[in-house]
Amino acid sequence: MAETVFTPALEAMPHIKSPNGETLTKPFLDVCRLVLPVIDKFGSSMALVKSDVGGNIGRLDAKYATDTTSYYLLYDIVRKEVADKTAKNSNSCTNGLLWLTRAMDFLVELFRNLLVHPDWTMSQASNEAYAGTLKKWHGWMASAAFTVAMKLVPDRKKFYELLGGGNLNTDIETFVTTFAPILQENHNFLKSVGMDDLKAS
C-alpha cells in the first residue's frame, strides 16, 4: 500500500503510552518529530510553525537526555519544574510542552477542517484552525505574522498531491482521531498544575 507523509507518525503513535496508559517522553517527541515532514508540505507558509515545533522538541529532548530514567514519563518533566518553581519561565520545558501541544492542536484542527469541509480552500481551513487554537494565545505580533503566513498556503489540490498517494483521507482521519485525545490529555494535565493558560509575551 502506498504510503502518505502521515504513515511514519501513524505507525509510531501506538508507542506513545506505557502499559499503564501514561505518556512516554521519547515516543511522544518522536511522533512530533515525524509530523515535521507534514509541516514541510505547506512550504514557506508554515516556516514559523516548523521552527517553533522543532525548537520545543529540541528543548524537551535535551532535558530528557539529562536523565532518561527520571524523565521517562513526559509529565514528570513538568512536575519537576513545578516543584522547582521554574515551570512559568519562558524557556522552561513546561512552556515548551504547552506550545508544542498547541502547535499540534492547530495542525489537527486544520486537517479536521479539510476532512469535514471538502469545499473549503486551504486558506480558509488554515485560518479557521488558527482562530480555534493558537490565536487566543498569541500577542498581536505573532498573530499578524501568522495571518500573513496563512496567505501563502498552497492550493488545496496541489497540497494533497504533496501529501502522497495511498488512502490519504483515511490517514488524515486516523491522524486527527488518534492524536487529538493525546493532545487533550496534555492540556488536562497542564491545567491540573495551573500551566495551560500561559500566553505568548
Side-chain angles (χ1 to χ4, degrees), residues 64-149:
Y64 170 70
T66 64
D67 190 341
T68 56
T69 304
S70 294
Y71 299 135
Y72 180 67
L73 299 176
L74 183 63
Y75 301 160
D76 283 350
I77 296 176
V78 175
R79 288 186 185 102
K80 176 79 167 72
E81 289 188 340
V82 169
D84 293 346
K85 300 198 170 9
T86 58
K88 288 191 176 177
N89 296 352
S90 62
N91 64 345
S92 72
C93 286
T94 302
N95 202 46
L97 175 61
L98 176 61
W99 283 102
L100 178 57
T101 302
R102 286 173 177 171
M104 294 295 154
D105 285 338
F106 164 69
L107 287 170
V108 164
E109 193 59 28
L110 196 164
F111 283 108
R112 183 185 280 122
N113 286 343
L114 290 174
L115 271 182
V116 175
H117 303 284
D119 54 324
W120 280 13
T121 63
M122 277 291 292
S123 187
Q124 190 175 1
S126 303
N127 280 316
E128 289 290 332
Y130 179 63
T133 56
L134 288 168
K135 189 173 186 179
K136 66 180 168 184
W137 306 113
H138 275 169
W140 70 269
M141 274 180 68
S143 193
F146 222 95
T147 303
V148 171

